[in-house]
Amino acid sequence: MLRTVSLALVVSLFGSAAVAGEWFLHPFGELRAYHDDWLAVCDDDGRGACRVVRAQADSGSGAFFDARLSLHRGDGGWWIEVMDRGMPEQALTALSFDFGAGRVVALAPGDWFLGELRYANVAETVTVTDPAIVEDLIARLQAGRVVLLRYAPVGAGAVEAFPLRGITAAMAAVETLREERGQ
């Protein structure tokens, strides 16, 4: 039986309220809940791995998404994946998270690895797992309104702007579900 989990209102650091969405079972077998611009997803009817995702298509693209920023929750904590169609991931020399007003977190080779943590050989994707870097980025993501992701060398995209409205609520929903599951 599907258990419905709901959060009340989550107040962001800017004082605006975000309504947390109800969990629902997606046809793919994932438990999902929308939180403004972000989606909380837990595999295997909510019993599997969880993540929060912001995916978006490029203007004029026929794809479901061309870029994705994902925060995954595992037993060891959170990790971050960046996907951008056309990103030359194997040639990257720099990746930065720009929160505006000079607040930039610049990563260097060695701060990320190619592909996804859960799946091998995923193209146009890099993953950040270093706990100190991830903790700093999560604090900034939760406090921000938008993040610009830039990388070098420039690929087909090179700059992706991700709105951050709802990221805190989505992460809280995942944590609440994990606590209810005893994880």
Side-chain angles (χ1 to χ4, degrees):
M1 173 178 238
L2 174 66
R3 232 160 95 171
T4 303
V5 178
S6 68
L7 297 174
L9 293 177
V10 176
V11 179
S12 74
L13 295 175
F14 298 105
S16 62
V19 178
E22 295 287 327
W23 288 102
F24 64 93
L25 186 60
H26 189 272
F28 292 161
E30 300 168 330
L31 201 58
R32 293 182 173 190
Y34 287 99
H35 301 275
D36 291 317
D37 295 319
W38 285 77
L39 176 65
V41 181
C42 293
D43 297 337
D44 193 23
D45 193 20
R47 294 181 301 274
C50 296
R51 63 196 177 279
V52 298
V53 180
R54 169 62 190 182
Q56 53 203 36
D58 293 338
S59 179
S61 172
F64 182 71
F65 66 88
D66 294 298
R68 182 183 65 240
L69 179 59
S70 306
L71 285 73
H72 294 256
R73 181 64 166 93
D75 293 336
W78 291 91
W79 70 87
I80 299 171
E81 290 177 358
V82 175
M83 178 271 174
D84 189 12
R85 200 168 313 281
M87 175 172 56
E89 76 281 3
Q90 294 189 15
L92 287 187
T93 58
L95 172 67
S96 68
F97 293 72
D98 185 344
F99 297 93
R103 297 178 315 239
V104 177
V105 176
L107 304 182
D111 291 339
W112 67 82
F113 66 86
L114 303 179
E116 294 181 359
L117 189 59
R118 294 180 3 173
Y119 305 103
N121 301 321
V122 176
E124 303 163 324
T125 303
V126 295
T127 300
V128 180
T129 59
D130 180 283
I133 295 171
V134 170
E135 183 179 337
D136 179 51
L137 285 172
I138 285 175
R140 292 169 187 261
L141 290 165
Q142 290 180 329
R145 294 181 186 250
V146 68
V147 61
L148 300 175
L149 295 177
R150 294 184 168 95
Y151 51 83
V154 174
V159 177
E160 289 291 342
F162 291 94
L164 299 173
R165 192 176 56 134
I167 192 171
T168 301
M171 292 177 73
V174 164
E175 292 293 359
T176 299
L177 184 62
R178 287 176 52 86
E179 286 174 17
E180 288 181 357
R181 295 185 322 200
Q183 295 181 322

